[in-house]
Amino acid sequence: MNASLSRIQVDESKEHLQAINERLLELEKTPEDMSVVNDIFRSAHTLKGMSATMGFEDLANLTHQMENVLDGIRNRRLSVTPELLDVIFEAVDHLEAMISSIAAGGDGTRDVRRTVEQLKRIEQGEMPNKQAAREEPPLEHAYGEFEYHVLEQAKEQGFSVYEIRVRLRDDCLLKAARVYMVFEQLNEVGEIVKAMPPVEMLEEEQFDREFLVTVVSKAPADELQKRLMGISEIDDVKVSMLSSNEPPAESEKAAAPQQPAAMEQAAAVQAEAEAPEKQTAKQATKTIRVNIERLDMLMNLFEELVVDRGRLEQISRELNHAELTETVERMSRISSDLQTIILNMRMVPVETVFNRFPRMVRQLARELGKKVRLDVIGAETELDRTVIDEIGDPLVHLLRNALDHGIEAPDVRAARGKPEEGTIQLRAYHSGNHVFIEIEDDGAGISREKVLKKAINRGIVSPEAAEHLTDEQVYELIFAPGFSTADHISDISGRGVGLDVVKSTIESLGGTVAVDSRPGQGSLFSIQLPLTLSIISVLLVQIAAETYAIPLSSIMETALIRKEDVFYVHNQPVIDFRGKVVPLVRLKDVFAVPGVSDDSETVPAVIVRKGEKLAALAVDSFIGQQEVVLKSLGNYLSSVFAISGATILGDGRVALIIDCNALVK
């Protein structure tokens, strides 16, 4: 290791890798387009030159061998096949891990001998097959001196030390979930001492199909074997007892921990890279990268300023002093501009999440034997970083649904008169104070009859009620917990498996998810999310002596309802709102607010919406609109019904913020 990369060089390297990823996907679609090959070659050449200059030998060797293969494609000596691209994608994955290791202060070393050897064979004209692309190098544990003593002490106390090699099935997609299940089973009968690759890399799925675990346990080996083989998607488990542990030699003491340390550093930065820190923006040279913790601190300080601003505005109204009022108004305008700037600083393009989907769709389509094109529209749309962090998993699940049970097999599509290649559109766009993300496929759609049959079998709806449900209401049923219309549920997805988790995740972010489908033509999942979560506009309302806040994003309008216009259906109060029967929810009863009964002729109500459903929230009076800081209630009050948080008002009192999604049922 002769030198280290600067932050700018790391950012540039990541941009080159992202460009290589994108252009490789284009090359697969247009294998005869040599301009694409030239772009990939230039990016690889730049990476090679930089790594060779800085002394990163593994990085330089891998990029050099990649260059040779790309040169063969460019000179038409080699033809582009999916198997060849699999090997190049594997090389790119290695490069990303090495760059991440270097960024974390590591030495960028990584065992890339197998991939380099595969690239050499390709260069010599030996085309890889699918199985060869999936071969894995043998994993071996290297124990340090401390670990050796721990294992020896365990043996002295009557424990056995096992080294367990777990191999996952080829078609396993949720690898991290399987690792978690393996660890959970082993922790029940023993204690895990070491894992290879390290735990961080296993959690981030930064491994192929195999991993090693060293366990200290009093259970027999066959019990461990039986426990692990009972987990689905496990291909093979080999349990071997470590009879004696030789302490590492002096030379090994330095060498042994080096590889895991480098891998751990790579994993640590990979985890960081999954967050919006990994922003391979096109104009990195024109940006200053700020640690997200500093932005969080700045946001917290500004939130305090918003509270004090509300207090000053109230004092100026009470004193009615002209100069004070003028100064406070000016301060309010400036702080509003400051608020806009701070919120914009926290905004991150959804591209940072979308970037990983083309590769994922390509891999799944190949494994399912389907032809699928992913069109990404509006990747530059920006969202608050806290929302970005949470939105990735729901989108992954919806895309897997579309691939597995939305898009049909090529022969089925051809028989239905459709193009063999299915299309999935991933769209993002702004509308008002919300961001909409839509996933639309041109597949088989959702069968109304199939959904109703499963819903009736599971007791979700009665046969009588099912006859009167609209199509939209039927499609909403797929969000019920554990619901699935799949004939054969796979771990890639099942239409509906896990969609309840998708829905709850999005609603926890203050958003909504809706589905529309046309049988035989496709489905559309639409996600609506707030731009930011920390500062929101609310309508303050009075209920007896207490003040509550209702988010403006949920409100349709306010109304004064005459008491004679309130009807009762099944002992529940309802009103006629523009031809629709809307339930009337008395917040005084919901929150058990003490107070005298009101004898007035009218009831002030706030009409709120959740998707297509409406509800009228009855209050005592309206106070007015205000921007407030949303504060969490903390762990002790995390399960309070229909309350999403609290805020501090100008007079120092606390107002609870109502969660309209929980009230609209």
Side-chain angles (χ1 to χ4, degrees), residues 26 74 170 180 293 308 345 441 503 533 598 600 605 637:
E26 286 180 37
R74 193 167 58 170
D170 274 351
Y180 173 78
E293 289 178 4
D308 290 338
M345 284 168 66
D441 65 70
K503 187 174 186 180
L533 300 179
D598 189 7
S600 60
L637 300 172

Side-chain angles (χ1 to χ4, degrees), residues 131-187:
Q131 191 59 37
R134 286 182 170 273
E135 287 174 5
E136 299 165 34
L139 289 171
E140 292 181 9
H141 267 330
Y143 297 103
E145 190 170 6
F146 174 75
E147 290 161 333
Y148 160 74
H149 285 303
V150 169
L151 298 179
E152 284 300 305
Q153 284 177 3
K155 285 183 180 179
E156 288 169 9
Q157 293 170 17
F159 288 88
S160 299
V161 179
Y162 299 104
E163 200 169 79
I164 303 174
R165 186 180 298 270
V166 181
R167 189 175 184 83
L168 302 178
R169 268 183 14 206
D170 274 351
D171 56 355
C172 177
L173 286 168
L174 301 173
K175 296 193 292 186
R178 302 300 161 211
V179 172
Y180 173 78
M181 292 168 78
V182 168
F183 278 35
E184 193 173 39
Q185 286 290 339
L186 293 176
N187 279 325

Side-chain angles (χ1 to χ4, degrees), residues 144-327:
E145 190 170 6
F146 174 75
E147 290 161 333
Y148 160 74
H149 285 303
V150 169
L151 298 179
E152 284 300 305
Q153 284 177 3
K155 285 183 180 179
E156 288 169 9
Q157 293 170 17
F159 288 88
S160 299
V161 179
Y162 299 104
E163 200 169 79
I164 303 174
R165 186 180 298 270
V166 181
R167 189 175 184 83
L168 302 178
R169 268 183 14 206
D170 274 351
D171 56 355
C172 177
L173 286 168
L174 301 173
K175 296 193 292 186
R178 302 300 161 211
V179 172
Y180 173 78
M181 292 168 78
V182 168
F183 278 35
E184 193 173 39
Q185 286 290 339
L186 293 176
N187 279 325
E188 285 181 10
V189 291
E191 189 172 337
I192 295 171
V193 177
K194 189 177 177 72
M196 179 70 183
V199 176
E200 295 90 340
M201 294 186 74
L202 292 173
E203 286 176 348
E204 294 293 331
E205 300 192 353
Q206 295 299 307
F207 68 103
D208 293 324
R209 293 173 52 207
E210 202 169 88
F211 61 95
L212 276 178
V213 187
T214 303
V215 181
V216 173
S217 174
K218 288 188 176 179
D222 55 352
E223 183 185 335
L224 298 181
Q225 172 104 12
K226 187 178 176 183
R227 275 175 170 266
L228 298 188
M229 285 305 291
I231 300 170
S232 62
E233 293 199 327
I234 298 286
D235 190 19
D236 188 32
V237 175
K238 289 179 181 171
V239 182
S240 55
M241 184 180 287
L242 289 184
S243 55
S244 64
N245 291 304
E246 294 299 325
E250 287 302 316
S251 59
E252 290 173 347
K253 286 178 188 176
Q258 189 174 358
Q259 179 70 5
M263 294 174 82
E264 282 170 13
Q265 286 164 340
V269 178
Q270 181 68 21
E272 182 185 344
E274 287 299 324
E277 191 75 17
K278 183 190 178 180
Q279 289 170 45
T280 52
K282 300 284 186 283
Q283 303 162 343
T285 52
K286 295 183 182 178
T287 61
I288 298 173
R289 293 179 183 256
V290 180
N291 189 314
I292 200 70
E293 289 178 4
R294 293 185 183 179
L295 285 183
D296 286 341
M297 286 169 60
L298 182 62
M299 193 67 187
N300 289 336
L301 289 171
F302 183 76
E303 288 171 359
E304 298 300 325
L305 189 61
V306 170
V307 172
D308 290 338
R309 180 181 74 187
R311 177 85 176 119
L312 276 173
E313 286 171 345
Q314 183 164 343
I315 291 170
S316 86
R317 281 195 299 271
E318 290 170 357
L319 293 179
N320 200 18
H321 188 283
E323 288 187 9
L324 176 62
T325 303
E326 184 183 333
T327 306

Side-chain angles (χ1 to χ4, degrees), residues 76-137:
R76 301 190 185 277
R77 285 190 294 103
L78 299 173
S79 56
V80 178
T81 66
E83 287 72 32
L84 179 146
L85 288 176
D86 282 344
V87 178
I88 297 181
F89 274 127
E90 187 180 303
V92 174
D93 289 340
H94 282 311
L95 293 174
E96 285 180 343
M98 287 190 276
I99 293 293
S100 297
S101 168
I102 293 163
D107 57 8
T109 57
R110 191 175 173 88
D111 188 358
V112 294
R113 289 171 296 181
R114 183 177 64 92
T115 308
V116 169
E117 191 59 39
Q118 282 182 304
L119 289 169
K120 281 180 181 175
R121 289 203 297 269
I122 292 170
E123 185 194 354
Q124 291 160 6
E126 183 185 328
M127 297 309 285
N129 56 40
K130 192 168 184 178
Q131 191 59 37
R134 286 182 170 273
E135 287 174 5
E136 299 165 34

Side-chain angles (χ1 to χ4, degrees), residues 391 394-395 398 425-429 431 434-441 446 475-476 478-479 495 499 502-503 506-507 511-517 523-529 611-612:
I391 196 62
L395 290 180
L398 291 175
Q425 269 204 355
L426 178 60
R427 299 187 292 266
Y429 58 90
S431 179
H434 289 86
V435 168
F436 288 84
I437 298 176
E438 296 178 345
I439 295 175
E440 185 172 16
D441 65 70
I446 302 172
Y475 299 147
E476 282 287 320
I478 69 173
F479 292 107
R495 174 74 80 183
L499 285 183
V502 171
K503 187 174 186 180
I506 288 166
E507 287 183 351
T512 58
V513 58
V515 60
D516 187 23
S517 183
S523 305
L524 169 67
F525 285 83
S526 180
I527 297 170
Q528 178 183 333
L529 293 162
E612 295 301 313

Side-chain angles (χ1 to χ4, degrees), residues 69 77 156-157 226 300 324 371 376 404 542 614 658:
V69 172
R77 285 190 294 103
E156 288 169 9
Q157 293 170 17
K226 187 178 176 183
N300 289 336
L324 176 62
K371 296 179 181 177
V376 179
D404 197 12
Q542 192 81 24
L614 303 178
I658 294 171

